[in-house]
Amino acid sequence: RLPVPKLEDTIRRYLNAQKPLLNDDQFRKTEELAHGFEKGIGKELHERLVAQDNQNKHTSYITGPWFDMYLKAREPVVLNFNAFMSFNPDPKSEYNDQLVRATNMTVSAIRFMKTFRDGYLEPEVFHLNPEKSDTEIFKKIIRFVPSSLSWFGAYMVNAYPLDMSQYFRLFNSTRVPKLNRDELYTDEKAKHLLVLRNGNFYIFDVIDRDGNMLKPSEIQAHFKYILSDNSPAPAFPLGYLSSENRDTWALLRKNLLDNGNEEALQKVDSALFCLSLDDFPIKDFVHLSHTMLHGDGANRWYDKSFNLIITKDGTAGINFEHSWGDGVAVLRFQNEVFKDSTKAPAISPQSQPASVDSSRAVQKLDFKLNDALKAGITKAKQKFDASVEALSLNLIQFHEGGKDLLKQKKVSPDAVAQLAFQMAFFRQYNQTVATYESCSTAAFKHGRTETIRPASIHTKKCSEAFVRDLSKHSTEELQKLIVECSKYHGRLTKEAAMGQGFDRHLFGLRYLALSRGIALPDFYQDQAYAQLNHNIISTSTLMSPAVQLGGFGPVVSDGLGVGYQVHDDWVGCNVSSYPTRNGKEFLQCVHKSLEDIFNVLKGKKISS
């Protein structure tokens, strides 16, 4: 179970995170409020939270509040919450044909779903000592141990089973807009797939009456039929509605339902998943990021658990809605689909589609729109276009070193990437700001994520030394500063992964106060608390052989959304920003920071 940290630990960690962001006077005030909270109302709330947690052993203390946080948010899901991960191309280039890849990935996705639902999907396990636990013999033995004890057997060999309670929402699921709070809807009985092309909606069954998957050649035939359908794009594409403010969309949805579209919407909501087929090839990585993060708005249904997007040249990616689950569940799905579709593809480029009557099997959904709905779609499109117009995406690849060199120098690769972001922002804006790094707490029942706070007194000191006071420090001193940052970041990461961060705990206490009608404690009304939760630099990393690149929008209007990967011998970084921040310049500063850090670690003298 996810532990509720001790209140004094949380307050201490909170103040450590505040230290680099505040001047002495501000810090004194925040410290006073924090200690007052710890001894007063905070103590009371903490005791209530612990008691409540003890009464709800089937779940975790963060589950309810976290779902609420996502589902009560009224901002559009696109750019604000949905993230993307793009697939690497199929190693066999001729398999990157749109029709071939769409068929193979869909078949692999259905295989994954059936394996999962039949209880045969291998559990997600974190192996601290893979030589002992990630072996066939261990798997054979543990298979025969009753599940109430098997986790203990795994624990004995340092293998930690991860929570998989989110996985069922991958399929047949959608986020339904409702006034004030959305709902998650899942219908596991539905057998059809939703396909979007050119803003048109198509459905066909991919599972038969006996629960078996349609033959791959039939799925291929239906895709071929959809790809060759030359119906014009709809004048009012419905997809834009899923990019609206949630309350606006909830009212428009009610209008759709009252206007005779209940059956069509039900088909959209309950479909296995949404496959978006785009009619253009990808030009470069920036174009790829724009396509997978938001696309054109007409050919996506952002409310589905995920959209599998495949472009004209067979480039594939996933855009996923975030309320139902986190990156780890989507990543596992992506890894399996990539592995299966490349190692055991269902069809080849030479395969002929089955001779079936697709015009009968494939149904094109028609939506009845009144004037209010048409006006609603037009307005949604205008807003969507304006948001996308304001968004910049920039990328860099740093090729002068990566994980291998950093491990050799005994520093944490993740700590170095995070230090480079701190240093870059300091170089660009001469300040240290609230920074967020996501860390999975899936090692616990119904765990979600915890925040690592990469901006620390150590990174601040190191940034100042590299950027402002370079002449005052020898290479050895700079190396020591990097090592200090690495050690501290390692400690924060370990604490977060073990459920010992402070963000979720404070969030849970605040949620409890509000839900019980208690006046919001002064601690939460402190300007410094608001500032710490206004995450200007929001970061996330995921490494996988299946994923080429990932990204998300900034979480605040003056923020940067940083997706990054530290590979064996290079570092990739993808940044989103709005006009108030120069993401391109930030990345140039990141490149310079990485260069400096790597050179110092190699013992070279650097210049400012």
Side-chain angles (χ1 to χ4, degrees):
R1 297 197 64 229
L2 183 70
V4 178
K6 289 182 182 148
L7 186 58
E8 58 266 32
D9 289 345
T10 287
I11 296 298
R12 174 176 51 79
R13 290 170 181 142
Y14 168 74
L15 290 172
N16 284 341
Q18 285 285 19
K19 199 139 210 186
L21 309 181
L22 304 173
N23 66 31
D24 292 349
D25 289 347
Q26 291 168 328
F27 185 74
R28 261 196 300 277
K29 185 195 164 202
T30 292
E31 192 173 33
E32 214 170 285
L33 285 168
H35 290 313
F37 178 73
E38 183 187 344
K39 293 184 183 75
I41 182 74
K43 186 169 186 260
E44 204 178 302
L45 287 168
H46 175 75
E47 282 162 7
R48 279 196 197 182
L49 184 71
V50 170
Q52 192 178 297
D53 185 52
N54 288 333
Q55 283 163 358
N56 291 282
K57 299 212 161 164
H58 63 285
T59 186
S60 76
Y61 76 90
I62 200 63
T63 302
W66 210 241
F67 273 122
D68 261 11
M69 183 272 297
Y70 274 122
L71 296 171
K72 283 181 172 172
R74 300 292 83 193
E75 300 90 350
V77 292
V78 64
L79 299 189
N80 294 306
F81 295 104
N82 287 26
F84 84 88
M85 293 190 271
S86 71
F87 285 96
N88 272 314
D90 192 306
K92 302 185 289 295
S93 60
E94 67 277 16
Y95 279 77
N96 289 310
D97 168 84
Q98 188 176 29
L99 176 60
V100 173
R101 203 162 197 206
T103 307
N104 284 329
M105 285 195 150
T106 298
V107 168
S108 294
I110 299 166
R111 284 177 182 162
F112 178 92
M113 181 200 76
K114 287 179 64 60
T115 308
F116 172 66
R117 287 194 181 156
D118 292 345
Y120 289 111
L121 187 67
E122 196 175 303
E124 191 66 20
V125 178
F126 179 65
H127 298 275
L128 262 181
N129 190 351
E131 296 76 38
K132 269 189 183 168
S133 56
D134 201 4
T135 61
E136 286 311 313
I137 185 155
F138 174 74
K139 287 174 194 172
K140 267 193 186 125
I141 295 166
I142 208 80
R143 191 170 289 145
F144 295 107
V145 181
S147 60
S148 57
L149 295 172
S150 60
W151 68 272
F152 190 72
Y155 186 72
M156 295 304 287
V157 289
N158 255 340
Y160 297 87
L162 301 183
D163 178 76
M164 294 172 77
S165 62
Q166 299 173 2
Y167 282 50
F168 82 99
R169 291 258 191 225
L170 269 165
F171 303 103
N172 302 101
S173 297
T174 200
R175 174 175 174 158
V176 179
K178 299 269 170 156
L179 286 174
N180 304 321
R181 185 187 190 272
D182 292 354
E183 282 170 15
L184 292 173
Y185 168 85
T186 303
D187 175 7
E188 294 189 355
K189 290 196 269 303
K191 298 173 165 39
H192 61 282
L193 180 70
L194 170 66
V195 183
L196 263 53
R197 176 170 170 258
N198 207 12
N200 290 306
F201 288 60
Y202 306 85
I203 56 163
F204 65 87
D205 283 356
V206 285
I207 307 274
D208 68 17
R209 251 170 294 176
D210 304 321
N212 298 312
M213 180 171 62
L214 224 58
K215 287 195 191 100
S217 60
E218 291 182 32
I219 293 176
Q220 182 189 5
H222 298 336
F223 284 161
K224 190 175 179 185
Y225 171 79
I226 291 169
L227 284 167
S228 54
D229 177 21
N230 44 26
S231 308
F236 298 95
L238 204 75
Y240 285 112
L241 293 181
S242 67
S243 76
E244 248 299 3
N245 165 284
R246 304 306 292 176
D247 281 341
T248 308
W249 173 203
L251 295 169
L252 286 164
R253 183 186 163 91
K254 190 180 179 314
N255 190 338
L256 271 170
L257 292 169
D258 295 345
N259 211 41
N261 296 292
E262 192 167 350
E263 201 182 324
L265 273 176
Q266 168 63 25
K267 292 289 189 197
V268 171
D269 292 343
S270 62
L272 219 67
F273 59 87
C274 175
L275 173 70
S276 297
L277 297 170
D278 284 349
D279 279 347
F280 53 83
I282 293 296
K283 299 198 261 293
D284 53 35
F285 281 139
V286 171
H287 183 221
L288 170 71
S289 296
H290 279 292
T291 301
M292 300 306 171
L293 183 60
H294 54 78
D296 72 346
N299 216 41
R300 304 283 182 270
W301 194 254
Y302 301 108
D303 287 355
K304 284 302 275 179
S305 280
F306 69 89
N307 286 245
L308 171 60
I309 302 156
I310 303 184
T311 63
K312 194 78 184 158
D313 57 1
T315 303
I318 280 180
N319 176 294
F320 66 97
E321 197 280 312
H322 219 320
S323 64
W324 64 271
D326 302 304
V328 280
V330 182
L331 189 66
R332 171 71 189 270
F333 169 68
Q334 241 178 306
N335 286 342
E336 299 288 0
V337 166
F338 183 74
K339 193 164 90 182
D340 190 64
S341 64
T342 54
K343 299 259 181 6
I347 66 159
S348 76
Q350 288 71 45
S351 303
Q352 288 305 308
S355 41
V356 285
D357 185 0
S358 294
S359 65
R360 284 186 60 186
V362 178
Q363 181 194 347
K364 187 167 163 221
L365 297 180
D366 278 315
F367 296 93
K368 301 174 191 70
L369 305 176
N370 57 26
D371 289 345
L373 287 165
K374 287 177 182 174
I377 292 171
T378 303
K379 193 158 183 213
K381 180 184 184 330
Q382 286 165 352
K383 283 172 148 177
F384 174 85
D385 289 344
S387 301
V388 164
E389 184 60 35
L391 180 84
S392 297
L393 292 172
N394 291 281
L395 292 102
I396 55 155
Q397 291 184 350
F398 172 82
H399 284 287
E400 290 160 52
K403 200 183 285 175
D404 291 348
L405 185 104
L406 295 171
K407 285 189 164 168
Q408 191 192 318
K409 299 290 179 193
K410 299 195 169 37
V411 288
S412 144
D414 190 58
V416 165
Q418 290 290 344
L419 174 59
F421 305 149
Q422 291 302 313
M423 227 180 253
F425 197 88
F426 188 79
R427 184 178 291 277
Q428 191 180 8
Y429 295 104
N430 196 29
Q431 65 180 138
T432 295
V433 291
T435 308
Y436 180 109
E437 179 182 359
S438 179
C439 176
S440 171
T441 49
F444 300 97
K445 190 183 188 71
H446 293 191
R448 293 284 312 237
T449 57
E450 181 52 272
T451 309
I452 299 168
R453 292 288 182 176
S456 66
I457 50 171
H458 304 285
T459 60
K460 190 176 185 176
K461 193 173 155 190
C462 193
S463 300
E464 285 169 353
F466 271 78
V467 176
R468 223 177 42 199
D469 310 319
L470 197 55
S471 57
K472 296 179 190 165
H473 297 277
S474 68
T475 305
E476 288 71 32
E477 285 167 351
L478 294 174
Q479 284 175 345
K480 271 201 186 97
L481 289 173
I482 296 170
V483 169
E484 249 166 62
C485 290
S486 173
K487 278 187 186 150
Y488 188 71
H489 188 78
R491 196 177 96 202
L492 291 183
T493 304
K494 201 170 176 183
E495 285 174 352
M498 297 310 291
Q500 294 292 332
F502 66 83
D503 279 85
R504 299 298 173 271
H505 186 196
L506 290 179
F507 181 83
L509 295 174
R510 181 175 184 271
Y511 178 90
L512 186 64
L514 293 174
S515 65
R516 297 279 172 95
I518 297 167
L520 193 63
D522 293 347
F523 170 78
Y524 290 109
Q525 297 185 47
D526 181 9
Q527 184 58 46
Y529 179 83
Q531 185 185 293
L532 183 68
N533 287 287
H534 182 87
N535 291 300
I536 289 174
I537 307 175
S538 182
T539 72
S540 187
T541 183
L542 284 169
M543 283 300 290
S544 146
V547 175
Q548 186 171 34
L549 166 93
F552 49 93
V555 296
V556 290
S557 61
D558 58 341
L560 298 161
V562 185
Y564 64 102
Q565 294 177 311
V566 185
H567 298 269
D568 290 343
D569 55 359
W570 64 283
V571 182
C573 195
N574 188 6
V575 169
S576 61
S577 57
Y578 293 118
T580 48
R581 293 275 173 215
N582 187 335
K584 193 173 185 172
E585 187 183 274
F586 172 74
L587 277 182
Q588 287 163 352
C589 294
V590 169
H591 198 281
K592 163 79 174 138
S593 302
L594 286 169
E595 217 165 38
D596 286 352
I597 294 167
F598 274 83
N599 280 330
V600 163
L601 289 171
K602 290 172 188 167
K604 292 182 184 166
K605 195 155 175 51
I606 56 167
S607 56
S608 49

